[in-house]
Structure formats: C-alpha cells, structure tokens
C-alpha cells in the first residue's frame, strides 16, 4: 500500500526526472521502457526497480538495503546526469558483467508474473546507457540479499548485452551503438581480446576514433620503450624530438659499424679466417663460457696463427683438444696468444699465464 | 641496456663463419672491398642471429643475398614498390578527405608538429633496413629490435678490433 502510494506519488516525479535524464542523455528507448514499466500492473517491486534506475547510487544502495523502500523512493532524485558522469569515469569493466547478472537476477527476484515481462523489458533496458550507471551500486548490493541460486532466464543474452553495455559505457550516447555492439557481440563476455579504450571527457567516441586512439596508445607505449633504450631520451618530451634522438642514435651506431669494419679490414690484410675446425669444437665451449670476452681470445689466436703459419694451427688444435681438460675454461685459455693483456678478458686468469708460456714455447 | 652476452656470442659465432666463407679469397681484394665484405658478413650474421623473426632481419638477409645474386633484390623491390603505390593512393585519398573536412589553417601548431613527426618517421624508415613497407607501430618495434642488435654488433666488432690491435 505504502509502496504503491509512494510509487504513484513518485510517478510524476519519476517522469520528470526521467525526462531530464533522457534529455541529458538522449535515449528515447529508455523513456519507453520506463513508461511501460510504470504502467505495468506489477506492484511494488517493478516500480521500486524503475525507481532505482532514477535514483543516484548512494540512495539506491540505501534503498536496497532498507526494507521499507518507500521512504527512500520518496527521496527526490537530484539530477542524475552528473552522477552518471561520475560513474562513467570510475566505471570498471569486470564490474559490469556481475552487475548485469545481478540486474537480471534482481528483476527475476523482484516478482513472479511481472518478472518475465519486466525481465524482457529490463534486459534491453540495461543495454541502454542511462540505466547502467545507476544500476551499478544497487545491483551490486543486491546479491547480498537475493539467493544466488536464482537461475538466469536469459543468461547468454544477458552476457551479450553486457558486452554491449560495456561498449556503451565507453560511448557517450553515440549513434553508432549498433555498429559497435555488432562488432563486440561476437566476443566472449569473460575476456575480450582487444584493448579497452575508455572514452575520456570531450573526446570523440565513434569507432573510428576509438580504434585510432587505441593505435595511438600502442605506438606511444612503444615510443616510451624506445625512450628508455636510447640514452638521453627520457628527459625529452615530444614525439618529434624523441624521434630525432632515435634517428641520431641509429645513425651513429651504423656509422660505428662501418668504421669498425674498416678498421678490421685495414688491420691484417693477410688474415685467413680458417676457423672450420675451431668452430665445431668451440660451439660447445661457447655455450659453457659466460663471458663474451673469452670468445675473442679463443678465436683471435686462431686467426693470427692461421695467418702466419698454416701448418701449426692444426697441430695446436689437436694438442689443445687432447689435453686433459679439467675445466672448459682451461681449454679456452690454452688458445690464448702470448699477449697477457688478453687475459684481462678472462675471469679465471691464473692458469692462463701458464698456458700462454707454453704457447710461446711452441711458437 | 647492455646487449646480453648470449646475443653477442651468437653474433660473433655467426660472423666468424660468415667471414670465413666470404673472405677465403681475400688476398686480392682492395681494402674497401674487404671492408664491405666484413660489414656484410656482420650484418648478415646479425640478421641470422635474429632468425628472421623481424622485418629488418629479413630485409638485411635479402640485401645480403643480393650482393651475390640479383633475383632476391628484384622480388623485394617489387613488393616494396607495390606497397608504396598502395600507400600513396591511400594517402591521397586520406588527404583529399582531410582537406575537404578541416579548415586550411597552415599555422596550426599541431599540423606543424605532425609534419615534423612525419618527416622524421620517413627518415627513420630510410634508416632501418626494410623499413619502407611498415606502418608506424611496427616501425617503432623494429627500431627497438634493431637498436639492440646494432649495439651487440658494435660491441662484438669492437672487441674483435681490440683483440686484433692488442696483437701488435
């Protein structure tokens, strides 16, 4: 009784606030749904449900939690538009699925005869943008009271619509709802494989700009990585200057490669890189050693020896390989040229000097 | 970011193999040719170390193959050319659309900065091997990759040069 009176009394108020909301958010569909609901012979629950839609979140929460909802229904709903905007900013994606489920469950729970009618009319309703925000809080707290064993009437459709609703959360009352929902209705409700781009205030929200914005953000993320990689780029702000630095860096690296190759070409014109046998043997030791510096002493003496004496290197290889190898590193060290400075590459240089002396003797 | 040792080792190993194979007839080559041979082998080694997973490595390998045969270069050129034509047509269409849409204010800062960015992107594309036929996002990725590999290459070459000079 009380509720009905409250509902009736609030009917006009609801329509007023509802009209405001509709005017603010441009959703005619919502108006029709609301009107249909209000005129439905459903009782308290239906009207309270629709009332929930108008009320801002905190009041709606109280509404749910308190058993006598009539008093709270009577509370005037301030302009829902700003609250909706706030919700939009803080809206979370995984939040939404559960909300839709609970919205469906709530409508199921709300009544019997009207349920189906309400459910059918409510399920397209949640897809409309206006109800989503205000439905968040009330529907969230609702499972605390409803039995979760309530089977969902239209679970997969609700899931699909939850996807649509998510998209509409992003889209600020755009006219391309059908396009985006068609795009996304094929996606899974649990995990959408594409990136979520939240529409910020004052930004265009059609699918083209959304995709462009996602692309932009991807590019910017990669540019950040580049900035970290290139020294001296992290302080610079602005894409053009960062690109400048990157170009300079790449150019300098390429020039270094050229100079170094020129130096190598000039160093030893008679170098004969005959490293066949060495490589097959060294590939194993290469994996063992931890320092790339060790590779150089390994290979360089080979290069030099091959350049100067053709026959000795082979003997040396065989000797070196046939030596009883306590550790791989010693084998590597045995290849060392007499230059002791090369030993600085090694970590275990103690036995190296001994081997270099042996090499000297052999040479 | 220092290139990791495994990367350097890979590169050096492959490079030595390449050097050996391409400089076996080294005696008669002039110094410039030797330098080119060394550089080429280093580049190809670097690209192979990447296992052709990136665009630039494939382009490098193709360029390396070109120095010996002519066929791969033609193929890559054709692909590049067709992609260029496609991009040019798309660009013209987009430009027409934009011109009809937005106002012709030349002095806008955003358009100037966009032009600068576009110019720099073009330069970067010319620097990265195989960068012509890539869109912006993949270009940035390739640059990241390429820089790390270039660093490893430079380090490897430098250590070899140092080792060779220490020998004196």
């Amino acid at each position: 009784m009380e509720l009905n009176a409250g509902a009736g009394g609030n009917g006009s108020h609801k329509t007023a606030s509802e009209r405001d909301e509709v005017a603010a958010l441009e959703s005619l569909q919502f108006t029709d749904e609301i009107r249909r609901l209000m005129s439905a012979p459903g009782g308290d629950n239906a009207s309270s449900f629709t009332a929930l839609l108008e009320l801002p979140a905190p009041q709606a929460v109280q509404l749910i939690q308190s058993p006598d909802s009539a008093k709270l229904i009577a509370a005037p709903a301030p302009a829902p538009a700003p609250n909706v905007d706030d919700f939009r900013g803080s809206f979370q994606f995984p939040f939404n699925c559960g909300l839709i489920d609970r919205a469906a469950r709530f409508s199921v729970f709300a009544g019997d005869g009207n349920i189906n009618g309400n459910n059918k009319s409510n399920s397209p309703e949640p897809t409309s943008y206006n109800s989503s925000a205000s439905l968040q809080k009330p529907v969230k707290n609702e499972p605390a009271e409803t039995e979760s064993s309530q089977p969902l009437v239209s679970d997969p459709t609700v899931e699909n619509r939850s996807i649509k609703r998510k998209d509409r959360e992003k889209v600020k009352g755009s006219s391309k709802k059908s396009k985006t929902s068609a795009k996304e209705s094929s996606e899974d409700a649990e995990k959408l494989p594409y990136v979520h781009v939240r529409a910020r205030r004052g930004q265009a929200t059609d699918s083209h700009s959304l995709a462009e914005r996602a692309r932009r953000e991807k590019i910017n993320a990669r540019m950040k990585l580049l900035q970290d990689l290139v020294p001296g780029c992290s302080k610079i702000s602005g894409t053009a200057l960062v690109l400048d630095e990157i170009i300079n860096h790449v150019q300098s690296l390429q020039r270094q490669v050229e100079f170094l190759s020129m130096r190598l070409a000039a160093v030893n014109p008679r170098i004969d890189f005959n490293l066949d046998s060495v490589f097959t043997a060294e590939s194993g030791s290469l994996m063992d050693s931890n320092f790339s510096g060790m590779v150089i002493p390994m290979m360089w003496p080979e290069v030099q020896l091959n350049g100067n004496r053709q026959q000795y290197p082979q003997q040396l290889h065989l000797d070196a390989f046939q030596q009883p190898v306590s550790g791989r590193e010693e084998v590597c060290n045995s290849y060392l040229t007499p230059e002791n400075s090369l030993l600085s590459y090694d970590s275990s240089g103690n036995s190296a000097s001994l081997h270099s002396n042996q090499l000297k003797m052999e040479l | 970011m220092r290139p990791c040792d495994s990367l350097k080792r890979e590169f050096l190993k492959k490079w030595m193999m390449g050097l050996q194979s391409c400089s076996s007839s080294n005696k008669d080559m002039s110094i410039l040719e030797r330098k080119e041979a060394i550089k080429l082998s280093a580049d190809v080694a670097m690209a192979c170390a990447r296992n052709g997973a990136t665009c630039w490595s494939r382009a490098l390998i193709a360029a390396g193959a070109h120095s010996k045969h002519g066929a791969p270069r033609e193929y890559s050129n054709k692909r590049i050319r067709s992609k260029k034509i496609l991009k040019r047509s798309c660009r013209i269409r987009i430009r027409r659309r934009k011109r009809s849409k937005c106002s012709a204010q030349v002095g806008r800062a955003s358009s100037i900065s966009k032009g600068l960015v576009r110019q720099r992107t073009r330069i970067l594309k010319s620097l990265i091997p195989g960068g012509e036929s890539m869109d912006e996002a993949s270009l940035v990725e390739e640059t990241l990759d390429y820089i790390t590999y270039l660093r490893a290459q430079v380090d490897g070459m430098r250590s070899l040069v140092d080792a060779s000079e220490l020998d004196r």
Side-chain angles (χ1 to χ4, degrees):
Chain A
M1 292 303 132
E2 191 186 343
L3 275 176
N4 277 334
N10 278 328
S12 57
H13 173 75
K14 254 183 283 172
T15 45
S17 57
E18 168 200 321
R19 259 186 241 117
D20 290 343
E21 205 180 304
V22 165
L25 300 170
E26 304 167 14
S27 170
L28 296 169
Q29 185 189 17
F30 185 65
T31 342
D32 293 338
E33 294 293 339
I34 290 291
R35 296 222 179 93
R36 216 184 310 146
L37 280 174
M38 288 191 321
S39 57
D44 323 335
N45 294 323
S47 53
S48 64
F49 183 66
T50 58
L52 276 179
L53 298 176
E54 252 88 18
L55 286 175
Q59 293 182 355
V61 167
Q62 294 170 4
L63 182 70
I64 295 254
Q65 285 170 346
S66 73
D68 44 19
S69 50
K71 298 170 193 162
L72 289 168
I73 287 177
N83 286 325
V84 165
D85 284 354
D86 293 340
F87 272 116
R88 196 186 304 133
S90 60
F91 193 69
Q92 297 293 326
F93 156 59
F95 204 48
N96 207 356
C97 278
L99 285 179
I100 304 300
D101 293 353
R102 287 162 196 148
R105 279 195 210 121
F106 180 71
S107 53
V108 167
F109 174 73
D112 297 335
N114 305 318
I115 300 279
N116 290 333
N118 284 346
N119 207 7
K120 297 266 170 33
S121 54
N122 281 341
S123 42
E125 209 181 330
T127 63
S128 76
Y129 179 66
N130 304 320
S131 55
S132 57
S134 43
L135 260 182
Q136 289 175 31
K137 283 287 177 65
V139 174
K140 186 192 181 188
N141 290 310
E142 174 264 332
E145 308 178 74
T146 63
E147 275 91 35
S148 53
S149 58
Q150 293 276 350
L152 286 176
V153 174
S154 54
D155 208 329
T157 57
V158 166
E159 298 282 353
N160 276 338
R161 286 180 188 122
S162 72
I163 299 163
K164 290 185 200 166
R165 167 189 281 205
K166 269 171 244 135
D167 178 52
R168 277 161 201 171
E169 286 303 321
K170 298 179 222 151
V171 174
K172 281 193 199 180
S174 121
S175 55
K176 296 205 178 174
K177 283 180 195 166
S178 57
K179 190 172 177 183
T180 44
S181 58
K183 190 168 60 171
E184 297 174 26
S185 55
S186 57
E187 305 285 3
D188 190 0
E190 303 298 329
K191 267 197 307 181
L192 297 172
Y194 51 85
V195 179
H196 273 287
V197 182
R198 195 165 295 141
R200 288 187 223 114
R201 271 191 92 89
Q203 286 193 355
T205 51
D206 55 335
S207 60
H208 286 299
S209 42
L210 271 179
E212 258 190 56
R213 202 176 324 125
R215 187 178 141 268
R216 273 282 131 206
E217 288 182 8
K218 202 167 74 159
I219 290 179
N220 285 338
R222 307 257 171 80
M223 291 281 296
K224 262 207 187 57
L225 281 177
L226 260 181
Q227 268 187 304
D228 297 333
L229 185 65
V230 175
C233 249
S234 41
K235 305 172 200 149
I236 304 180
S237 59
T239 322
L241 294 172
V242 166
L243 274 179
D244 227 9
E245 282 299 313
I246 292 168
I247 286 173
N248 284 336
H249 193 63
V250 169
Q251 273 176 340
S252 75
L253 281 175
Q254 283 178 340
R255 264 184 252 130
Q256 279 183 35
V257 168
E258 295 236 7
F259 289 157
L260 284 172
S261 63
M262 180 67 88
R263 275 173 76 182
L264 269 181
V267 151
N268 249 328
R270 289 199 304 117
I271 285 177
D272 192 9
F273 293 93
N274 186 7
L275 306 168
D276 268 331
S277 45
V278 183
F279 262 103
T280 49
E282 275 183 355
S283 51
S285 52
L286 272 174
M287 295 307 145
D288 291 357
S289 63
N290 288 331
F291 293 86
S292 66
M294 294 248 292
V295 171
I296 311 298
M298 256 189 278
M299 292 196 271
W300 180 246
E302 213 29 51
V303 161
Q304 206 212 351
L305 292 166
N306 281 332
N308 300 336
R309 280 165 273 265
Q310 290 292 331
Q311 57 276 39
Y312 281 115
Q314 304 300 327
Q315 293 175 0
L316 237 134
H317 296 199
L318 295 171
D319 291 346
F321 280 122
Q322 282 158 14
Q323 275 176 22
V325 180
S326 54
R328 287 288 197 157
E329 300 181 15
E330 294 185 0
V331 177
C332 303
N333 291 340
S334 71
Y335 280 134
L336 282 179
T337 57
E339 295 82 19
N340 289 336
S341 50
L342 268 180
L343 299 179
S344 60
Y345 287 99
D346 298 332
S347 57
S348 60
N350 21 14
S351 57
S353 51
L354 185 64
H355 290 280
S356 68
N357 288 337
Q358 289 177 357
L359 270 179
K360 269 183 184 152
M361 281 168 44
E362 286 187 7
L363 290 174
Chain B
M1 185 197 302
R2 303 281 310 142
C4 56
D5 287 332
S6 61
L7 184 63
K8 286 200 266 190
R9 232 180 300 134
E10 264 302 299
F11 163 69
L12 278 165
K13 195 166 50 155
K14 297 207 157 110
W15 186 28
M16 284 297 144
M17 293 200 300
L19 272 176
Q20 164 209 341
S21 64
C22 82
S23 26
S24 46
S25 59
N26 238 353
K27 319 279 176 166
D28 320 330
M29 288 211 266
S30 75
I31 195 166
L32 279 173
E33 287 175 11
R34 291 176 52 74
K35 169 218 150 199
E36 284 305 317
I38 290 170
K39 178 158 176 282
L40 181 69
S41 55
D43 288 342
V44 173
M46 192 166 75
C48 292
R50 198 65 181 86
N51 285 326
T54 51
C55 199
W56 62 261
S57 60
R58 289 192 287 267
L60 261 185
I61 292 172
H66 164 255
S67 65
K68 303 199 173 141
H69 328 286
R73 171 59 83 92
E74 288 168 10
Y75 171 68
S76 60
N77 268 355
K78 251 185 232 173
R79 274 185 78 232
I80 291 171
R81 223 182 302 141
S82 55
K83 281 201 176 166
K84 271 191 186 162
I85 292 169
L86 193 66
K87 277 198 174 174
R88 213 173 292 152
S89 61
C90 288
R91 228 179 292 154
I92 290 172
R93 226 179 295 146
I94 291 170
R95 216 171 283 160
R96 280 202 206 123
R97 228 187 295 149
K98 274 193 185 164
R99 291 228 179 97
S100 63
K101 252 205 262 181
C102 65
S103 57
Q105 293 179 16
V106 188
R108 242 194 293 182
S110 59
S111 58
I112 291 176
S113 64
K114 276 196 193 138
L116 279 179
V117 168
R118 238 179 282 135
Q119 185 201 23
R120 306 258 159 83
T121 324
R122 241 181 296 136
I123 295 177
L124 192 61
K125 276 190 178 167
S126 69
L127 274 184
I128 310 270
E132 305 289 331
S133 50
M134 277 197 280
D135 62 326
E136 268 195 41
S138 48
L139 182 71
V140 177
E141 273 188 65
E142 301 279 326
T143 322
L144 264 172
D145 227 21
Y146 189 56
I147 287 180
T148 26
Y149 272 82
L150 266 185
R151 283 213 187 134
Q153 185 184 21
V154 164
D155 284 343
M157 292 179 81
R158 193 179 289 142
S159 44
L160 190 63
V161 167
D162 291 344
S164 73
E165 296 203 332
L166 278 168
D167 187 30
R168 308 261 176 85

